[in-house]
Amino acid sequence: MHDTWETIDRLVEWLDEESGVSPEVARLLRVLKISEEAGEVAEAIQGVTGSNPRKGNSHTWEDVQAELCDVIFTSMVALRTITADADKVFTERLAHVAERSLAR
C-alpha cells in the first residue's frame, strides 16, 4: 500500500502545480469530485443493466470496476489533500471498521 500512497502523493503534487485555485478551494473541489465520480459509477451500472431506454446497454461490468477505482483514487487524493497523514488515517479507520464489523 506504501507505493499506492506514493503515487497518490505524486498526483496531489501534480494537481497542486496545475491548479489555478487556492489551497482552500482545491480542498473543497477535490472532496466534491468524489460525488462526480460516484455518479459515473451509477451511470455505468445503469448502462450495464440497460435501465435507461434511451442509451440501452452502454457499459460493461469492467466499466463499473474502472469507475469504482476512480472513486477510490479520488477519495485518496481528497484525503491526502486534507491531511499529510492520509495513509495513517486510512489505516486506522479501516482497522476501526474491521474491528467493529468483524469482531463478532
Side-chain angles (χ1 to χ4, degrees):
M1 191 82 163
H2 184 68
D3 291 341
T4 301
W5 283 109
E6 287 178 2
T7 302
I8 295 299
D9 285 342
R10 290 177 46 222
L11 288 168
V12 168
E13 288 174 22
W14 173 74
L15 287 167
D16 288 346
E17 290 169 5
E18 296 297 320
S19 177
V21 300
S22 70
E24 294 79 18
V25 171
R27 182 182 312 129
L28 295 174
L29 293 175
R30 290 177 193 170
V31 172
L32 289 174
K33 181 76 173 165
I34 299 166
S35 294
E36 178 187 337
E37 295 297 341
E40 292 177 14
V41 173
E43 181 181 2
I45 289 173
Q46 288 178 331
V48 166
T49 62
S51 63
N52 183 337
R54 186 173 53 82
K55 293 184 180 180
N57 291 89
S58 57
H59 290 75
T60 66
W61 282 109
E62 288 78 17
D63 295 325
V64 175
Q65 292 171 17
E67 296 299 345
L68 285 169
C69 288
D70 289 351
V71 170
I72 295 166
F73 304 149
T74 303
S75 298
M76 292 175 80
V77 165
L79 184 59
R80 178 64 89 197
T81 300
I82 291 170
T83 178
D85 292 328
D87 48 346
K88 179 179 181 248
V89 170
F90 178 83
T91 300
E92 288 175 357
R93 184 64 183 168
L94 179 59
H96 170 77
V97 170
E99 181 180 326
R100 180 184 68 202
S101 301
L102 303 175
R104 300 172 194 231

